Each structure stands twice: as structure tokens, then as C-alpha cells.
Amino acid sequence: MAYLAFADAPGTTRFAPTAFERLALDPGVTDPAARRTGFSALEWSVVAIAERDKLSTLRTPGRVAVALGTLFGDKPNPQLADTRLEALRRIAVLSWHFGYTIPGDDVRAFVEAGYTLDQYETLVDSISAGRAARNGKARR
């Protein structure tokens, strides 16, 4: 099967590429989504997974929890090995549960992990929209 390159045919005009196409065609950009939102696809997947995490996953297990885990079998540890992604997971879990009402120490730890306040706002705006959509579906 043959394909024709209509964009190069005489008498045709090529429109200017959109901003997304320019980012996708730029060899210096590895992930166009990361340029638009400040987060890579991996980071957005961490945020999506954090929706189901409970607040208890943010605490280190105590002696009783460790003993019960030994007796009845351990639960999988949701903490991530990468400290930067773990900081993102922590702030995402808090945002899924509390929205913008997160203690300043947690936001500071998020920024110290290498993220910016603009990324924090993007994250919480996205999560707030997800929370509103989820709550709207639950009421119907």
C-alpha cells in the first residue's frame, strides 16, 4: 500500500504547526506534556494512583502494625523508592483528601524535592477538578 505526501504536493499550503506540534517536533523536548504542565506522564500516573491511597500510607508503620503484619502478612508498602516521586505522592494524597488546605511544611517539602509552586498550583487545580467530577458523579 502506498501513501502520498500531500503536504509536499505542488499547489498545497502547509499551515503553521500548533504549539503542541512544535513541542513534539523539538528534539530537546523529551515529553511534551511535561513542557505544558510541568509534570511528566510518570508523575501524572503517580498523582492518579495517589487518589486511592489513604492518609495512613503517609505515616511510617509503628511497632504494633509491624507485629500484626508479621502475623497476618504484610500489606504492600505504597511508598515510592524515588524521593522526588514520593514527595509528589505525599502532596497528591494530601490534596486528594484536603484540597488546598495542606500544612505549609508539606508544601515546603514538596518544593525542596525539586518542584515549583507553579507545579503545586497545577497539581491541586487538577486534583480539585477531579474531586469535583468525582463528587458530581456520586450525587447523581
Side-chain angles (χ1 to χ4, degrees), residues 8-45:
D8 298 331
T12 61
T13 58
R14 172 123 170 96
F15 293 102
T18 64
F20 180 76
E21 289 172 334
R22 282 194 303 272
L23 285 173
L25 297 174
D26 185 1
V29 177
T30 56
D31 187 359
R35 287 289 295 271
R36 283 195 321 271
T37 64
F39 293 112
S40 67
L42 172 65
E43 291 168 328
W44 280 120
S45 66

Side-chain angles (χ1 to χ4, degrees), residues 6 11 14 19 34 43 50 64 69 72 74 76 89 92 101 106 109 115 117 120 129 134 137:
F6 289 109
R14 172 123 170 96
E43 291 168 328
V64 173
F72 299 110
D74 289 331
R89 186 189 75 85
T101 57
D106 292 315
Y115 294 101
L117 290 176
Y120 170 71
R134 182 178 62 187
K137 288 179 184 176

